Amino acid sequence: MNPHSHRQKANTVNFQLSTYRDFWNPNLRGEQLALDMADLSSLQHLESGPNLRGHGMSTELRQSEREAYWLILEFIEQEHMSTMEKQNFLKAVEILSSAVRAEGNGNMNDYYPKATLAKKIETLILEESTETLDSSVRQQAMLCVVALSQVKPSFYLPEILDLVSASISSMFSLPLIMPSLDRKDNASLYLQTTQALDDMLQALVMDDMDPNMLILENFLEIILPWLTHSNKVHEHTRALVTISRLLRFVCNFSTLLHMEMFSMNGKLMGILGLLCLNSNHEISLGASEALHYLSKILVLQRSVRQKMVAILKNLQKRFRGEWFANMQNVSLFFRKYLTPAERADVIMVTMESLTRRSRDDIYAATKMLDVILKYSIPEIEKVPEIIQYIYFHMSSITEAAAQNTIRKILQLLSQSYTDEVILTLFRIEDQPQKGMCKPWEILASFPKGCEVIMKHLLQRLAPQPAPLDRDPSQRTEISPLIATRAIHELLLEWSQQMEVQTFFSPLFIALLFQTSFLMVEGNAAMIQDRRHITEWVDPVSSTVEALKTLMHRSGYGNFESEIEKVGGWELLVNPERHYDGVALLARSLVTKNCWHNRPIFGLLMKMLQDPSCANHFTALVFLAELLQCPDVAAIVDDFVTHILANWFNCAEPATVKLLLQMTEVFTKHKNLEKRLHILQPHVLNCCYSSDSDIVLETFLVLKHLLEELTWQNSSSFLIQLTFKLEPFFEEESEHLRLLAFQIYSQLLARVKRKVLVFPLRHQILNLIVFLVLHLQDVNFGVTQLCRLTLYNTAVLLRWSKLQEVFTKGDVFTIMGALLQQETNKALWFLKQCVALFKSTQVPIRQAAVWFAGQILQILDLEEMKEVEEAYVALRHMKGDPDPMVSCLATQTIYVLEANEKLLLANMTSCSCRRRSQRGCF
């Protein structure tokens, strides 16, 4: 097919000028027009004529055309004209327009200003009576506009709209004209004038070769008030016929200029759809035809070519169909062919009909909304405008069916566009003048719908930073603060306790986390939300109030009151004691054995699976109390315990301290104690934390664990603990050092001889010198613990001879007795002494050097070869800052060197002799 074939067809469009031919059939080059306009003298005057070039008029015009020109000059300024003069003037304008058009590139302004002619024609139309139709002036004026539209320059849009407005008003205001024998001519004239109006509108809507949809939109804005504001049937019918013929004309073109900017599709479809349900058959039929042509335009412009033919055939079958067929078309095109903004226009137009007094209008609007929103609402724009209309007009809708329809719209919008609906409601409510509608009550009255909204609001409660590259066209998202306010409003209206209870756990946690977030980092969020809400309330108090309302609506009103009595709510909003409030809130649920404890526990653990959980500290504070609930403790398994254990890797000291304290809870329930082994390695690792507070907390927890645990269930852990304690016997902090010895003393008290095997026995012996030398500790508590622990060690190892010595002897006596009884462990003791050379306490270093010297003196040559490191350490002690330690180290080295020479001199002596000498102390 030739791509230009359609344009050629458009260029030869038949405007159906049946009446046009009656007035416009001039042959300006060959015939004289019969102009009943002047007498012979005036004709002679015209023939002799003025200088045409002086008037800017071409000398090539025929005599009849010149006469038309002079006639225009004569009547253009005349205010009062007879009907005959008006007709002659309009004929003259047509003749001149035809002459200018025949020139090819002619311009009407070269002869007479086109704008002035248009204004005069508009005046003539407005001068016609709206009570009767007794002349052809209207008809001729409209056809004259058609003629002028064919010549340059083009009409300006204001000129077009003035002419159209005048013509529409003049025609539509006429009384009803019914065909009859006695008024046959009048009816015929009306039909001719109506045709002339159609011809004028079709000519003016064209922009060169194609219809201009922006011009059509302006035409519709002039015509539609005759449909929406008039209460006369014949005016409705005239408007519908005019719209229908105009749309039918546009259907002839495949190319429509500015179709993408045409914004009347939704409004027009809404109005026509409603009128299809009108009780008057003539109006219903006219609306059906107009809706058919509008649908056809949408198919031609927005449908895929492969499907276009089939869709058009289906439309043709339903042409002038019953209301059901029309509603099917409206529903189809509402979903598939209208843009989101146009769908909103359909809804707005239809809702406006619900507020009218006419029962027919209300019925039509209700039926139409039920059809287009039967299942769900498609993508739509202008949600705030729709919500505002509902808010301010709900109270004026009295019909039950209409109220239900409005409620359904609000419900569907709130489910699909929750953020926009919530923001709009708050903006309206925060205005000084509020409406009478209660939208929150409406939203809460739909159980399923309210659940959908609650789920959406729960998602919004989690604070999420807005992306930097956010597209401005994306939907608005409400902040957690606004979501909290919305939840509070819904809870106040949600009367079904069982329904609220289904949301208690997630809502409780979400609101609690929101409170914590606001207490810690909420300032930025508060400032951000002030942009959306004009009437500001304290967000922290608002969130806590929502939490209280949730408890009250869920049947936990007595809990809420008791928390109030003990000051829990005050603690919750106290920045310094906020987490005490969290713990107290959890404790109240545990004390009352709340049914939701287990679901809350499950939600918290699910959140803590995420290592980046923003509210992990609040969750752990709550869990520390919740684990004390028997029902919760019973469901803890290895997987849950591993989740908690992973949080020991957190870099926040406060979190680690909290986990250490939580570990103590695991000793209070059998099921938890079974899982304690998962946490124990992490607790032991905390002994080496770089944070001294964590280390101290770890030892306090270990001390508590020793009081609660049995050797039978925790032997591995207790043995590991003995190996972890050694470095802390030399801790500078007296408090921490005392704790280390307390723990070791407690541990030994639990050890039975039957479990005293390797490696525990090895470690006890490895710490014996530490105990002995710390009898010199500056902390009296440590010395007491060391003496008691030495006694327990002697009992465990069955050192009966040493028990009394450990109890009553001084440190030097004990060291001598220990070395005399356990001579075969001399090298082992020496190694422990050397380790204590680095002690920060002078008495301990002094005793360590002395004991090392005693040990070294009893070694033989073979054993001396293994103590090179001890010699190096002893020589280093000669430089000790304490003079007594330095002097003792120097003397010990002299004695050892002399002893070594003596041993070398006696190399040939028997081993028994060496052993007898070795036995002397």
Side-chain angles (χ1 to χ4, degrees), residues 19-20 23 136-144 189 192-193 196:
T19 57
Y20 185 82
F23 294 94
S136 62
V137 172
R138 286 186 184 87
Q139 175 190 2
Q140 196 172 350
M142 295 173 192
L143 295 176
C144 191
L189 180 59
Q192 293 173 12
T193 308

Side-chain angles (χ1 to χ4, degrees), residues 398-497:
T398 56
E399 291 283 340
Q403 287 181 347
N404 290 335
T405 301
I406 285 290
R407 289 158 67 91
K408 181 179 180 182
I409 293 174
L410 181 58
Q411 178 196 8
L412 291 175
L413 286 176
S414 62
Q415 292 178 25
S416 301
Y417 299 90
T418 307
D419 291 352
E420 289 91 333
V421 172
I422 297 300
L423 272 179
T424 305
L425 290 177
F426 279 132
R427 284 170 183 162
I428 296 172
E429 289 188 343
D430 291 340
Q431 293 173 3
Q433 295 180 349
K434 301 179 181 180
M436 300 300 293
C437 179
K438 296 182 179 179
W440 302 110
E441 182 180 350
I442 296 173
L443 295 180
S445 64
F446 291 91
K448 296 298 181 183
C450 195
E451 289 180 12
V452 174
I453 298 171
M454 277 295 187
K455 289 178 182 178
H456 179 87
L457 293 174
L458 275 170
Q459 294 176 354
R460 290 286 183 262
L461 275 181
Q464 298 175 353
L468 298 177
D469 57 346
R470 181 184 179 87
D471 185 356
S473 64
Q474 291 180 352
R475 289 185 185 180
T476 304
E477 289 190 1
I478 62 176
S479 69
L481 297 185
I482 299 177
T484 301
R485 286 189 63 188
I487 288 172
H488 192 197
E489 294 287 351
L490 286 172
L491 286 173
L492 290 172
E493 301 296 339
W494 209 355
S495 58
Q496 299 298 321
Q497 187 179 104

Side-chain angles (χ1 to χ4, degrees), residues 254-299:
S254 61
T255 301
L256 303 179
L257 302 178
H258 308 300
M259 180 64 188
E260 70 283 354
M261 300 174 67
F262 183 69
S263 62
M264 294 288 288
N265 286 318
K267 184 177 181 180
L268 192 57
M269 180 168 285
I271 293 172
L272 296 176
L274 289 170
L275 292 175
C276 285
L277 300 173
N278 196 280
S279 57
N280 184 284
H281 178 71
E282 194 174 1
I283 293 177
S284 175
L285 185 62
S288 176
E289 290 189 13
L291 184 62
H292 169 80
Y293 292 121
L294 175 62
S295 303
K296 189 174 180 180
I297 291 173
L298 292 174
V299 171

